Amino acid sequence: MGCCSGRCSLVFLCAVQLMVALERQVFDFLGYQWAPILANFFHIIVVILGLFGTIQYRPRYIVVYIIWTALWVAWNVFIICFYLDVGSLNKDSDLLTFNLSAHHSWWREHGPGCERREVSPSADSQAYISVKGCLLEYQYIEVLHSGFQILISLLGFVYACYVVSAITEEEDSFDFIGGFDPFPLYHVNEKPSHLLLKPMHL
């Protein structure tokens, strides 16, 4: 397959997925979001596996990447529903931290244009953080992150299916013309020819 083929496109998409996943992992660590941290970790491993399989012509590794991509799309759909409070989901809950802490998305206090101010506590209450002036609310930033992940994952899914079918067809055609046949269809007769020399009588 040439450089502008689906294989090279899949390599490019895997590289983009790695960069986006690493960026997301950093901000999830800053926000102590343990469930997304684990999901990002597995995602990075499988994308590296898919990248290796694409470069080394290993269709089984690409199939693992395809299966994980479907799960990754479902996970990001869940994240979108979580931050948009779909159904019984609530973005203010501690679900993504496994109820181990009260931390929330890092973008909640550090979004673009946000002014973070700590409000002094009263005698019988705890201090809390007041955030005002955000140009974009944190839940929409998280939704945009997940939406972009879904977009590149769907593209990766399509190209991965194409690459697997292309590699399989190449292997089948190579086998058909005798690539793995110990007695190929086209062969040269290796038996030496014997020339009989007879004396000539005048």
Side-chain angles (χ1 to χ4, degrees):
M1 286 180 280
C3 188
C4 58
S5 64
R7 178 169 165 265
C8 291
S9 299
L10 182 58
V11 170
F12 173 76
L13 287 172
C14 287
V16 173
Q17 281 185 300
L18 276 179
M19 291 187 293
V20 175
L22 289 172
E23 177 265 341
R24 192 176 189 180
Q25 185 77 311
V26 169
F27 290 112
D28 285 338
F29 262 114
L30 292 173
Y32 300 98
Q33 304 291 290
W34 301 117
I37 286 171
L38 287 175
N40 292 333
F41 176 75
F42 287 114
H43 180 61
I44 291 170
I45 291 177
V46 176
V47 170
I48 292 174
L49 188 67
L51 184 62
F52 175 79
T54 305
I55 295 173
Q56 297 294 324
Y57 292 90
R58 303 291 180 87
R60 291 182 180 178
Y61 294 166
I62 305 177
V63 169
V64 173
Y65 167 81
I66 291 172
I67 296 172
W68 171 257
T69 299
L71 297 175
W72 183 245
V73 169
W75 166 255
N76 281 279
V77 170
F78 166 76
I79 293 295
I80 291 176
C81 294
F82 176 81
Y83 281 107
L84 294 181
D85 296 333
V86 176
S88 60
L89 297 173
N90 184 3
K91 62 179 176 295
D92 294 323
S93 68
D94 299 329
L95 181 63
L96 297 184
T97 60
F98 297 129
N99 295 320
L100 298 176
S101 65
H103 291 90
H104 297 283
S105 172
W106 183 84
W107 297 104
R108 185 172 187 171
E109 300 175 6
H110 303 88
C114 292
E115 296 180 3
R116 183 174 179 270
R117 184 178 63 180
E118 184 174 346
V119 178
S120 300
S122 59
D124 57 348
S125 63
Q126 297 180 350
Y128 65 93
I129 303 298
S130 174
V131 180
K132 296 181 180 179
C134 295
L135 298 177
L136 186 64
E137 295 294 331
Y138 76 96
Q139 63 266 30
Y140 300 121
I141 297 177
E142 294 287 357
V143 167
L144 289 175
H145 269 92
S146 294
F148 185 69
Q149 290 277 359
I150 291 174
L151 176 62
I152 58 177
S153 295
L154 290 176
L155 289 174
F157 182 89
V158 172
Y159 276 103
C161 292
Y162 168 76
V163 170
V164 169
S165 64
I167 292 176
T168 304
E169 287 179 3
E170 286 185 0
E171 290 179 349
D172 291 342
S173 62
F174 183 69
D175 187 24
F176 177 75
I177 64 174
F180 302 104
D181 190 357
F183 301 102
L185 181 61
Y186 304 104
H187 62 278
V188 179
N189 189 0
E190 297 179 351
K191 293 183 180 180
S193 60
H194 300 283
L195 298 178
L196 299 178
L197 299 178
K198 297 182 179 180
M200 296 181 65
H201 302 281
L202 295 177

